[in-house]
Amino acid sequence: MAGRRVENQRRQKYGTSSYVSGNTARKLAAAPQRRYEEYDIPKEVEITEEDRIAIRKKRKAIHRANRLNFLYTVGVSAIIITIFAICLQYLNVQSQVKTNSTAVTKLQSELNELTNSNDELELEINAGIDYEQIYNTAVNELGMVYPERDQVITYDAGVSEYVKQYHDIP
C-alpha cells in the first residue's frame, strides 16, 4: 500500500508512470502557464461592454506604465552617462592644469635665473666703465667742448617714446 502511494505521488509529480518504454529519461511536466487574472476573461461569464472598456483601460495603463518605466530607465542611463563624461572631462582638465602649473613654475624659476644673470652682467659692465677716461679722451684727444647756453635747444617729446629726425637741427 505504501508502495502504491509513492507510485501515485511520483505519477502526479512527473506526469507519467514509472515505466518508460525505450528511454530511461523521465519526462517532467512542463511549467504551468502563468495566468494573469486581469487579462484573463472567464469563458462562462458574459462580459458587458463596460467590463471590456475597463479591461482595455487596465491594459493601456499597464502598457503606459511599462513605457514610462522604459523611458525612466533610458533617462536615468543618459544622465549617468552624461555625469560620467563630465567627470572624465573634469579629471582631464585637472591633469592639464597641474601639468601647466608645473611648467609655469619651471619657467618662472628659469626667468628669475636669467634676470639675476642679466643684472650681474649689467653691474659688471657698469663697473668696468671709467667715466674719467672717457671725458679725458673726448676733451683732450677729440677736442670736444661743452656747448654754450645759446647752442642748446630744448624740445618737448610729447607722448611718443622716440623721435624721428627728418632734417638737421640748426
Side-chain angles (χ1 to χ4, degrees):
M1 188 146 148
R4 284 188 183 168
R5 193 170 1 159
V6 171
E7 187 67 32
N8 287 338
Q9 287 175 352
R10 188 180 302 152
R11 278 189 198 138
Q12 288 174 354
K13 186 175 182 181
Y14 298 115
T16 62
S17 67
S18 62
Y19 180 74
V20 178
S21 174
N23 192 350
T24 58
R26 294 182 180 163
K27 292 185 179 180
L28 300 177
Q33 294 259 339
R34 283 191 166 174
R35 296 188 57 151
Y36 298 100
E37 280 83 27
E38 55 200 36
Y39 291 121
D40 292 339
I41 301 170
K43 305 259 185 216
E44 310 85 38
V45 180
E46 289 274 333
I47 1 178
T48 63
E49 191 63 32
E50 294 172 354
D51 291 338
R52 286 186 184 151
I53 292 172
I55 290 171
R56 272 192 226 124
K57 284 183 181 179
K58 279 186 181 180
R59 286 180 184 168
K60 284 183 181 180
I62 290 171
H63 181 67
R64 195 176 309 121
N66 288 341
R67 185 173 55 215
L68 288 178
N69 285 342
F70 177 73
L71 292 176
Y72 176 76
T73 304
V74 168
V76 168
S77 300
I79 290 171
I80 288 172
I81 289 170
T82 304
I83 289 173
F84 184 73
I86 289 171
C87 289
L88 282 178
Q89 286 180 343
Y90 177 74
L91 291 175
N92 189 18
V93 167
Q94 286 293 85
S95 172
Q96 289 176 353
V97 165
K98 186 168 181 154
T99 303
N100 290 342
S101 68
T102 55
V104 165
T105 304
K106 182 179 175 184
L107 290 173
Q108 283 177 341
S109 65
E110 186 178 332
L111 176 66
N112 286 338
E113 289 174 12
L114 290 174
T115 304
N116 290 339
S117 174
N118 284 344
D119 290 344
E120 290 174 8
L121 289 173
E122 187 178 0
L123 286 174
E124 283 182 29
I125 289 170
N126 289 338
I129 296 175
D130 185 14
Y131 293 106
E132 193 66 34
Q133 183 184 2
I134 292 172
Y135 177 77
N136 287 336
T137 304
V139 170
N140 296 334
E141 293 179 18
L142 300 175
M144 296 180 77
V145 291
Y146 280 107
E148 307 258 340
R149 282 201 182 268
D150 59 343
Q151 292 178 330
V152 176
I153 301 172
T154 59
Y155 65 94
D156 187 18
V159 180
S160 179
E161 294 181 7
Y162 62 93
V163 176
K164 288 185 180 179
Q165 183 176 350
Y166 295 110
H167 299 286
D168 288 334
I169 299 175

